[in-house]
């Protein structure tokens, strides 16, 4: 039985046609020539129609053209396939690995091969298979695995520190005795579905040529920053909070909570702070009526301190206390509805103690403000001879 596809290359075909011409010149018939070449007469006739006027070099060039044509067809088919796959993923950019993984899984359900789906989504096949293997693990695998205790600790930590992300969580985990790297901690944190959802923030417009900040803090208790913050209780009545922080250590050293706060009450708060900490070199404030009052100005002059008033309408010059206000609102005020000022005062007292002694501040190399102040005192206190 004749085979459907020929095993002869174009060069071999041209060589056999030359041999056929020599046999034909010797007087042999077409049937005898075909039997001599071990092909059928139809194949010999087809060879003559295709390669009759070619030499071996031309046949070799024709072979290369055919191979290139097949490659182009394959590339064109692959390109059309990838275009079809991209049309299925027209919902947006695939930026995160999770979205890429979901895109690959979606394309596979549509009939695309795993290789093609991974190539279109920009995800390696090994990453996809490893993630798929982790997802298919039973629930008891996480409960008995290498990081089982750490996973339980993560959930307990997230319950009590709802607005803290994985960076501060990792610092606290290492302090608690868990030997885990930050990348591994972040992977486990995300596998457990823990996430800090961002608050909706208004976009701040900066001036074209902002004025640089003046009088930066050089040591603890050098520059105090004061500002007011407002909230409301369960009955809709206003709650006014006056906060004071140390710009160098970020310590929340004083606050006052009331319905309204006058300059005299601010002075009372500062008097207690001066008795506990001493007099600062600079007091940074905005141009609120309580701060520009004559009574407070006289008190600052009496303490021989400098009252640094920021430019009107430019709160970013008092950025440390503004950042503190954002954290206080994000972690406490937004999540609690107070009955009255007494409850608000108690909650802020508890939160302030946790902030000063437990909050790992990124600007302080993830030390808490009180620990950072203590370390500074130990390093800069002269040793007695």
């Amino acid at each position: 039985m004749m085979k459907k596809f020929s095993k002869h290359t174009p060069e071999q075909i041209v060589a056999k046609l030359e041999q056929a011409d020599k046999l034909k010149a010797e007087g042999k018939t077409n049937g005898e020539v075909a039997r001599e070449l071990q092909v059928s007469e139809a194949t010999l006739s087809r060879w003559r129609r295709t390669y009759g006027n070619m030499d071996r070099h031309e046949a070799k060039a024709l072979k290369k053209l055919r191979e290139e044509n097949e490659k182009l067809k394959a590339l064109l088919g692959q390109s059309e396939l990838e275009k079809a796959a991209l049309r299925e993923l027209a919902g947006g950019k695939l930026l995160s690995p999770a979205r890429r993984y979901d895109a690959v899984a979606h394309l596979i359900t549509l009939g695309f091969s795993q290789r093609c789906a991974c190539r279109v989504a920009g995800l390696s096949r090994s990453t996809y298979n490893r993630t798929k293997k982790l997802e298919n693990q039973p629930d008891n695998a996480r409960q008995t695995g290498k990081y089982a205790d750490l996973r339980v600790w993560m959930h307990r930590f997230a319950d009590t520190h709802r607005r803290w992300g994985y960076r501060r969580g990792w610092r606290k985990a290492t302090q608690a005795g868990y030997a885990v790297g930050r990348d591994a901690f972040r992977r486990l944190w995300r596998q457990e579905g823990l996430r800090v959802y961002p608050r909706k923030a208004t976009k701040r417009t900066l001036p074209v040529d902002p004025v640089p900040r003046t009088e930066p803090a050089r040591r603890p208790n050098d520059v105090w920053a004061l500002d007011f913050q407002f909230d409301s209780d369960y009955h809709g009545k206003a709650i006014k909070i006056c906060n004071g922080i140390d710009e160098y250590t970020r310590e929340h050293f004083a606050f006052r909570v009331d319905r309204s706060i006058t300059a005299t009450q601010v002075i009372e708060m500062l008097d207690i702070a001066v008795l506990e900490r001493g007099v600062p070199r600079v007091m940074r404030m905005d141009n609120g009526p309580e701060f520009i009052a004559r009574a407070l100005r006289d008190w600052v002059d009496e303490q021989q301190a400098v009252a640094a008033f920021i430019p009107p309408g430019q709160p970013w010059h008092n950025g440390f206390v503004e950042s503190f206000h954002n954290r206080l609102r994000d972690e406490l005020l937004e999540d609690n509805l107070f009955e009255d000022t007494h409850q608000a005062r108690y909650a802020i007292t508890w939160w302030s103690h946790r902030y000063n002694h437990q909050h790992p501040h990124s600007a302080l190399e993830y030390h808490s403000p009180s620990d950072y102040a203590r370390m500074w005192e130990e390093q800069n206190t002269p040793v007695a001879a």
Side-chain angles (χ1 to χ4, degrees):
M1 183 174 65
M2 299 295 296
K3 292 184 179 180
K4 184 175 181 181
F5 299 101
S6 174
K7 294 183 179 181
H8 297 84
T9 64
E11 295 91 337
Q12 293 173 343
I13 293 174
V14 172
K16 287 198 173 186
L17 287 177
E18 293 177 354
Q19 185 179 356
D21 293 336
K22 292 180 181 180
L23 295 175
K24 192 72 174 177
E26 295 176 358
K28 293 185 178 181
T29 62
N30 290 335
E32 293 174 345
V33 172
R35 284 192 295 272
E36 183 73 20
L37 298 178
Q38 297 181 353
V39 295
S40 64
E41 294 185 25
T43 300
L44 185 61
S45 177
R46 186 176 68 253
W47 284 356
R48 289 187 183 279
R49 289 195 303 270
T50 306
Y51 303 96
N53 299 322
M54 291 186 183
D55 56 16
R56 296 187 181 183
H57 297 289
E58 292 175 344
K60 189 174 182 180
L62 179 62
K63 179 184 177 182
K64 290 183 179 180
L65 289 175
R66 286 183 174 178
E67 291 176 352
E68 292 177 358
N69 189 30
E70 292 297 329
K71 290 181 180 179
L72 289 175
K73 287 183 179 180
L75 291 175
L76 181 61
Q78 178 180 334
S79 176
E80 293 297 329
L81 187 63
E82 292 180 358
K83 288 180 181 179
L86 289 173
R87 283 193 293 269
E88 295 292 337
L89 304 176
K93 295 182 178 180
L94 304 177
L95 299 180
S96 64
R99 287 208 61 190
R100 295 178 188 273
Y101 175 83
D102 294 339
V104 172
H106 176 66
L107 291 176
I108 291 177
T109 58
L110 296 178
F112 293 91
S113 66
Q114 185 187 104
R115 187 186 302 274
C116 176
C118 290
R119 182 170 58 249
V120 171
L123 186 71
S124 64
R125 295 173 64 195
S126 59
T127 301
Y128 173 76
N129 291 324
R130 183 171 61 252
T131 307
K132 184 177 180 181
K133 181 179 179 181
L134 291 175
E135 285 189 350
N136 293 333
Q137 285 183 350
D139 295 337
N140 58 1
R142 291 186 176 183
Q143 299 174 2
T144 59
K146 177 181 178 181
Y147 297 108
D149 294 339
L150 180 58
R151 293 177 189 271
V152 175
W153 182 92
M154 284 180 177
H155 286 279
R156 293 177 179 173
F157 175 83
D159 289 340
T160 56
H161 303 78
R162 199 178 63 82
R163 301 301 300 173
W164 287 17
Y166 78 90
R167 291 182 178 88
R168 291 185 173 88
W170 171 65
R171 286 286 180 174
K172 288 297 181 181
T174 54
Q175 293 175 7
Y178 292 98
V180 59
R182 193 182 72 171
D183 293 340
F185 188 89
R186 178 178 58 183
R187 174 174 55 82
L188 296 173
W189 183 273
R190 293 181 176 179
Q191 285 180 2
E192 294 302 313
L194 302 175
R195 181 182 176 186
V196 178
Y197 291 92
R199 305 284 191 188
K200 183 178 180 181
T202 57
K203 186 176 181 181
R204 185 180 69 183
T205 303
L206 293 176
V208 178
D209 187 17
V211 181
R213 294 185 72 254
T214 57
E215 296 291 344
R218 298 191 290 263
R219 56 180 175 78
N221 206 42
D222 185 38
V223 179
W224 288 0
L226 304 175
D227 200 4
F228 287 101
Q229 190 171 19
F230 295 88
D231 198 27
S232 59
D233 61 10
Y234 176 78
H235 305 284
K237 296 181 179 180
I239 296 178
K240 193 172 184 179
I241 309 168
C242 181
N243 289 307
I245 68 166
D246 189 321
E247 287 195 356
Y248 192 84
T249 63
R250 311 299 201 274
E251 287 179 286
H252 184 217
F253 63 83
F255 72 93
R256 188 180 184 96
V257 180
D258 215 325
R259 297 295 182 186
S260 64
I261 301 176
T262 62
T264 303
Q265 292 172 320
V266 174
I267 293 174
E268 292 176 357
M269 181 189 75
L270 294 176
D271 279 334
I272 298 175
V274 168
L275 291 175
E276 295 176 350
R277 305 173 63 89
V279 181
R281 180 176 60 91
V282 178
M283 295 181 60
R284 197 186 312 280
M285 303 170 286
D286 60 17
N287 294 269
E290 300 86 358
F291 295 142
I292 63 175
R294 181 176 298 275
L296 185 58
R297 287 175 177 266
D298 293 341
W299 183 88
V300 173
D301 293 339
E302 181 183 346
Q303 300 295 331
Q304 297 182 354
V306 177
F309 294 98
I310 65 174
Q314 299 181 8
W316 52 88
H317 287 284
N318 205 2
F320 292 112
V321 71
E322 293 291 343
S323 176
F324 173 81
H325 282 175
N326 179 68
R327 187 164 303 282
L328 174 60
R329 182 171 300 280
D330 187 38
E331 297 183 4
L332 182 68
L333 302 183
E334 289 288 343
D335 292 340
N336 295 274
L337 192 59
F338 305 119
E339 181 69 23
D340 50 26
T341 56
H342 298 288
Q343 186 183 11
R345 192 175 298 112
Y346 175 81
I348 295 176
T349 301
W350 168 84
W351 183 89
S352 177
H353 181 270
R354 192 183 76 165
Y355 171 81
N356 286 331
H357 295 86
Q358 298 181 19
H359 180 79
H361 207 295
S362 58
L364 307 178
E365 299 179 353
Y366 286 96
H367 295 291
S368 66
S370 59
D371 289 343
Y372 187 78
R374 177 180 52 80
M375 293 168 56
W376 189 92
E377 290 293 341
E378 293 176 355
Q379 295 175 1
N380 293 273
T381 301
V383 180

